[in-house]
Amino acid sequence: MGCSSSQQQQYAAFKNSPPLTKEQFEQQMAAALAEKTARVHAHNDSKIEATKRSQQVANGTAKVESNQETKPKLVEKEHSSDMNEEKHSTHNSLKSSLVVEGENSGVVEEDVKVTTNTFTADQSLPELTRAIAPDEYGNLVPDCLFGSNHVAVLSNDARYGNLSHGILVEGLPEEGTTVLPVNVNGSHSGNHGAGSTLVLCSGWESGVDGAQFVSAVYVIRSGSKGNNLHSALMKGEDRWTFAAGDDGILMISGVGRSRYAVYHNRDNLVENVGNRSRSLSTQMLTGAEGKELVDMSADKHFVLLVFCSHSSGIEDATVASLYLVSCNNGIVKSDFINGIKGSEYKSNVTDLWSFEVTNQKLRIRGPDGPCRVAFVSNLHGNDLEHFDQRDCLTTGEDEPIRGAVTINNNDIRGWVSRRSAVLVTVNEHKEFWFPGPQLKSVGKKWAFQHKWKKDETRPGLSLVRIFTVHKNVSGSSVFVELDGSPQQLIRQPEGVLYALNSGGPAYTALNDVVYTSEFSQYASYTYDHMFGSRCLALGGVKSHGRVPQIVTATNDGFLYVSCRTSEVEAEDEKGVKYEVGDLPNGKAILRLHFVPPNVGNISVNGQQITGAITEQVKNQKNLPDSHTAHQVDIPIVIKDHKVALHINGQMISGFALMDAGKYHEKQKSAQEQKEEAEAKQKLADQVEPLSRTLAKKEQEIVGWSQNLLVNASGEMGDMSHWNVSGAWKTQDGGHGTEKAFVTSHMRCVKWQEVDLTEVFSEAYLDTSPPIQASEWYREGACGGGFYSLQVSLLTADGQVLKKYDSGETGNIYMEKQWQQELVEFTDYGPGLRRISLQSYGKDDKFWAGSYGPVISDATVRVKRETRVAEDDAFVDVNLTGDKSAVSSSREKLVSKVLSDNEELLKELMEDKVLVDIDPVLQKQLQFSMVKPSGERKKRKKREIRVFVSSTFRDFKAEREELIKKTFREVNALCADRGVFFTYVDLRWGITEDQTNHGQTIAICLQEISRCHPYFVCLMGERFGWSQVSEKPDKLLNSSFDYAIENFPQELGWIDKYRYGASVTQLEVMHGVLNDSRDLKDRSFFYLRDPLDRDSCPEGVFKTPFACLCDRGRMFVSVPDALCLPLYQMLGAESEWHHKKQMDLRQRVMDTKGLAVKTYKVVDEVCSYIKKDLEWCVEQDFPKGTELTPLEREREAHIAFADVRRRIYIGRGEYFTQIDNFMMTHQKEPLVILGESGSGKSALVANWVGKVEEREPETFLFVHFIGSSADSASYLKLLRRLYEEMKKHFGFGLAIPSSDTNVVQDLTAWLTMAGSQSKCLLVLDALNQLDDGSGTEGSEHDLLWLPRALPPGVHMLLSTLPGRTLQAIQMAGWPTIHVLPLDPSEKAQIVTGYMEGIYGKTLSEDQKALIVDAPQTNNPLYLRAVLDEEFGKCAHVQVRVYGNFRNLTEKIREYLLADSPKELFAKILERLEEDFEHGQQPRLGLVRDTTTAIWCSQRGMSESELRLLLQVPAAVWSPFFLSLVENLVNRNGILNFFHDHLRQAVETKYLSTPDLKQSTYLKLADFFASRRLDDRVVDELPFLLAKAGELDRLRATISDLDVFERMVSSEDGEFELINSWKLVLHKLGTVCEKQSDFEMALHFYREAIGRQNRVVTPAQKLQLTEGLLGEATVLYLMDNMAEAKKFLVRARELATEVLGPRHHYVSAIINKLGQLSYKQCRIDEALGYFLQDLNLTRSEVGTSHPRTASILNDVALVYDDKNDRFAGQLYEAALTILLEVFGQSHLDVATVRYNLGAFYFATNSFARAKFQFSEATRILRTFLGPTHPDTIDSQKSLDEMAAFVQ
């Protein structure tokens, strides 16, 4: 944009004119303001009668008056409205609109100025300001300007705009100028005023190749006087120009045969020439069908501006697009201009619509679904109807559905035009329905009414919406929202009379008070009140930022983020006045809400209350650098039923009126307070430390002094230390600084002199050291202005040695980007003593206020002396010396820093309370961390194993119901708590063979012991298997003998009950009665009511129990002669048995404290059992005790080890060898070698078990690689190790998140752990490491393991031959070989395993078959055979057939397998044969079960498998019993016992990538269909990644609920990062490009915005995390002032939840310090750093890496102050990090770099070189040579060459 000649002259005159004095300037401005006010008043004399906005818009133009001055606007924006008669919940915003607002009457420009701006689809339309937006009710409201405003709406919905007022003008046959009938400035007709015009052009341009058809659409913006106008090309060929004639008429010049259509937003400035252009508004039920727009047979060339919109199903899934369509002799060209879409619309806006010609008809096609289309054109108008939107777009029917509703606090009343169901929603949740038949006929309408029930709307603000439900033409249900909906309902707490949110929408505060919107009560659209004010309350609206959550001192930030202020430009509207009527008289409380603490002049009903407000504000905190909320309660008396509140000089955010006698503030109950305190404590214990970044000294100031200027950017809030002339002020936001200087309309000059002799010696200054001076500037709020910089080098008497003058820079338009003026002085000679820096700025528009250039970050630095220090040497810091002496010295150093700055520290502490600084050295650990517990906690197995005892024959119905229903429901509850539920029912479990061998009693009583303490007994009329001495039972006696002989200590007591007691009685005695003291709480007895003859009706007796059914007892009427003895009627074996059973029942009932219940029917007892077992779950595993992800993973590995400890027969020398190695070797791991299945894992598991027993204080980390899919990742292994160390030792460090740091930091963490206690790391099966590529990757080279172990750390590894073993051999690590089993060992295993596990034995021949087979030398093979043959065949086949006739044959068959893998393949075949054939076959059962487990990440639960496979219990139960011994159960999650079974499944069922992918996908679909829970989050992202479903993966991990669950744990967060890596592929490239901070801000603000009601401690901490994230982004964007507000609020919230001395709070304080340091507010930064140091030292001591980080920060401040004490601080920080992390760590590199810079500045050049060398080495190793930090370090190292050889 250029300047006119007169403007150039004016600029030149202005530049050369002397500066105005302040008085002259104020006089000129007063005169200009008076003239402007007079013009406005004259224009406003013709007051316009107000009409409804909806009527104005419907007429095509609307005039709205306002008083706000701003710039013109041209905006295209999506809008929605709820004014429709016909509404659809998915289509109610289905329209496309273009809104043009005209130049306002308050802007005057003298000269003709014609400018053209071009913007394309790639450049959005210039959105100067927001022109129009929906109000709280969905109505479109224009954002008016100062003075008169004229708005025209062009919409494709005919209800919102009239497109038929376009004027058609034919141009000249040849090129030339055509007059358009538009008065562009009003001078032609005398109606002054601005306007906006839309012009459509088409024509023929002559050229060498003949005439070419061209077209375009322009927007013209005109001024009110002086023929001023601007034109902007929206789209097309820019072949036309515009001007205003002498009479103010718009003129256009362009190509020949042009045709124009003109649409102007002011009908009184358009001459009616009678020619109208053609327009059309139409719609389609589905855009894919297409629609005819124009018959092209009559017109050769024309242009259309087409408005398209489409809805894809939900309210925010709407899209609007604008096209320019050019037509020439049947050829169509369409150009996309712009578009916008809702957040849920997924398609691209640019390619949704297409245009084509068919049979000389122009047609449009769009996306599938409801569409609206409209066009304006330069076609001739015709008699054809231009409106075609009468059909119902929702249903597709000819007549639209109509209806209306009235909603209030009492009821709902409404009607619909057709009888149909009506849906009512409250806050977007379905509340209730009116079924169609319930509607009543009233005339031609169907009416409904509903009175609100108490529980249907809650206190506060509710949004009610009402829809009628119909079927559309395709048969789908659609929802049509009724007129009058939505509606807000307000229910105030008792005693609240009135509440208002000033300047904002309605809001429900946390105390349930509803602050209503002032819009509906105070909005004004008339020209009668105070010259068009849009608010009857006067004043104006101001916002305190876009993020309500940053307002401090409140959790109702939304109430404070907007306010109404009395300080506005219009004199008539200064002040704020609220008048509230219809109030009850009497005593009341006026509650005021505001942000600025300064109180203006406030009165109520004419009485001043300013003093009372001031007194209350004095006692309230006002956090600096933030928006602090203030609330005051003022007692008042209401008279005449009204309150008049007048405010001047103050901003008001809201107010409320409460009845003084009735209103009571919402209070938390004692229980709520207790729960909140517990929640806070839990968060304080669990919250992870914030990551800390070590600050690095900036490269450009290495070797230079600190900035010698004071208050260089106005950080003191004023012009202190500067000499000034002119009207300066400071404002927030400079160049990397919090503040900046702003110039004004006057000539503003500031200068400062620096006395260099205060810093440097005169001798050094006479050497002419290099000097740098600089300053940054940019244009002010309104652009333009002047700037210059002058720097002078002065002698002691003020003579100039050298001077720099930048010259004046004018017309500054740099898009608000900072520009630097920089100069460096050298060779200026001796005599320098002072430096003077002077800068000047001035506005070029003469506007009142501070609108001139902004100036910031002035610096003066001098190169430091280069005289070599006396003690300089190329050496490192001293790392030797006694540890206690080093700790003592370090403690004294920290104490000195804190003591020296105690006053500064107290000044910035919010609570003014310091942790005591003890001058006497206190004894502390090297790392003051949590001391690990000396005793390993005994884990409580998360299992409920219930023994069910009863006689067998008379409880069939009860048992069946328990199995089918009750136990399943209990199991579901257990699964939710992470508990594994099992019931033991031995009614089928004692085989004939076991009975014959006398094992019955032993098996039953041993199972009761295993189930301890859970015992359930059902007692009826039968006594059970028993004997008397007179008639002994041979089998029963043998069972007694077996139990007593084999288990004399445990079961010897049964001998005295050999006669007269039943087996069931023994179960009851062993389970409970022998010792009921600690068993009775979990033991439950259920006694079925017995019947005697007297209780039976006459002629009726109780049938045997076999006749019972689920409904209870049956009574059968028979002749008396057939009546049986009572004991037979009751089902007892005999009268003796009946008496013994009654005695046993009585003993049970007489046992004190025993849980005994009686029942009559099956349903009753099942209900009792369910309730009792659920009580056990609640008592033993209450909510909140669920395992964390870390605990779950730990339990999984423990379970894997436990299975391998069940029976172990191995050589004792293995244990001895391992023990000896661990005692004698300190720095290298021991590796166990052996073939697959040789027993390495069993050896490891059993040796670890022994260590657990004898070394309770040892930190043990055991990881069985390959035990699950995710256990094979070395990165996950290391992450788990970090988590375990952090949990055990209480390390206050963040776990590394990047792959590089996970490996890099391992040695440092192990060093810290080893210094605390002995550490043992056990990693089994390294050969099974898998990075997911399917090949042996670099993880098998074991480079991720430390080559040498730190002191106190031991490591045991195991592996198979292969790449891993080669890496071990290259490292030279010692090994132990596990040899195959010999025959004697195998025989011991067979005997011990079978009798120990199954209580069974094999025949000698069967033993020999197994022992003699060479394959069974492999322990895994041997175990699999024993499990399969005896565990399956003996358990199943012998049970069925009653003998072992098939067992020997099966053994021979399995021994044909040569390896464990082949054996497991045979096992799979056997399972297929047994369970996929027969009476109830389920084809694919084995494959589907095992492949689901194979594909899952962590395994599958039994319930998940049942649900996935949809297999009935009758098929599943026997199959699962046959499979379960080959699985490991980890708290209910099943996985393979050994990798050989995993390999067999892969070989048999998943042999190709396609099979794997399809199975992954099937399992992913299964989990995706489930309700979201932790299991879904565990599995779904993993499965989608494996299936290659990256789009679905991205959508899944982007879901907020999934995201929150994943980031709730370290492991989940790691999975989230890996998932995003996979989705984004090249994450590194993406991160480099994420200088797109605006997108980062968008995501953070979306996350923060979702937390609009923050109540619980967890919510507050979650909000804190979001605020910290956005603060980080703002910090990176150099928006320090805004970042500080976020940090201050984050600190406040964290302090409220965690307390002021928590490490999380101290880390936020550190971030505040780093921000202040970046702003050059070094004293303030030091104060924050010292607070952090004080808190951190009290928590972790002075030898922790966190302390080192803070010492580095403090040292930076001391360094900037030229204080040599900085060197001691740097050195202390470095020694801490070297002790913890070793020589190669990035944090070490940072501190070495800073220390090197300090050494360089203090002339210790050799020491500096050493530090830079080490820093460069580390940075090159980990970041590479091209990283900016590496380059900086290398550059500093290179500079050392000039000083050190």
Side-chain angles (χ1 to χ4, degrees), residues 68 502-504 518 534-535 538-543 561-565 567-568 651:
Q68 296 187 359
S502 299
E518 69 174 19
R534 285 191 299 143
C535 183
L538 303 183
V541 175
K542 181 177 180 179
S543 174
V561 76
S562 63
C563 64
R564 185 160 290 280
T565 176
E567 298 300 320
V568 293
M651 290 183 280

Side-chain angles (χ1 to χ4, degrees), residues 1632-1651:
E1632 285 181 8
K1633 292 181 178 178
Q1634 288 193 349
S1635 298
D1636 185 1
F1637 296 123
E1638 292 296 335
M1639 185 58 68
L1641 285 180
H1642 167 76
F1643 286 124
Y1644 275 120
R1645 284 180 179 164
E1646 182 178 358
I1648 292 171
R1650 291 174 182 265
Q1651 296 178 266

Side-chain angles (χ1 to χ4, degrees), residues 1440-1479:
V1440 174
Y1441 300 111
N1443 57 59
F1444 287 89
R1445 61 180 180 269
N1446 293 326
L1447 188 53
T1448 302
E1449 296 175 8
K1450 280 290 183 183
I1451 292 174
R1452 289 195 176 97
E1453 178 184 338
Y1454 282 115
L1455 290 177
L1456 294 175
D1458 292 330
S1459 65
K1461 182 177 178 181
E1462 292 182 17
L1463 177 59
F1464 281 115
K1466 285 185 172 293
I1467 292 172
L1468 293 174
E1469 291 174 2
R1470 196 272 301 170
L1471 290 170
E1472 288 179 341
E1473 181 181 345
D1474 287 351
F1475 299 104
E1476 295 187 12
H1477 304 86
Q1479 294 181 345

Side-chain angles (χ1 to χ4, degrees), residues 1759-1828:
D1759 200 356
D1760 274 9
K1761 291 185 170 186
N1762 276 350
D1763 193 324
R1764 287 180 176 265
F1765 190 58
Q1768 297 181 50
L1769 295 168
Y1770 283 133
E1771 290 170 354
L1774 180 58
T1775 56
I1776 294 171
L1777 296 178
L1778 288 172
E1779 289 172 4
V1780 176
F1781 294 142
Q1783 292 288 349
S1784 298
H1785 193 277
L1786 287 175
D1787 287 352
V1788 173
T1790 300
V1791 179
R1792 284 195 182 279
Y1793 180 89
N1794 292 341
L1795 181 56
F1798 170 80
Y1799 285 151
F1800 180 76
T1802 55
N1803 301 335
S1804 295
F1805 303 120
R1807 294 180 187 275
K1809 182 176 182 180
F1810 184 92
Q1811 299 301 327
F1812 286 139
S1813 298
E1814 283 297 292
T1816 304
R1817 176 187 63 79
I1818 299 169
L1819 294 168
R1820 277 183 173 275
T1821 300
F1822 293 106
L1823 302 180
T1826 60
H1827 192 277

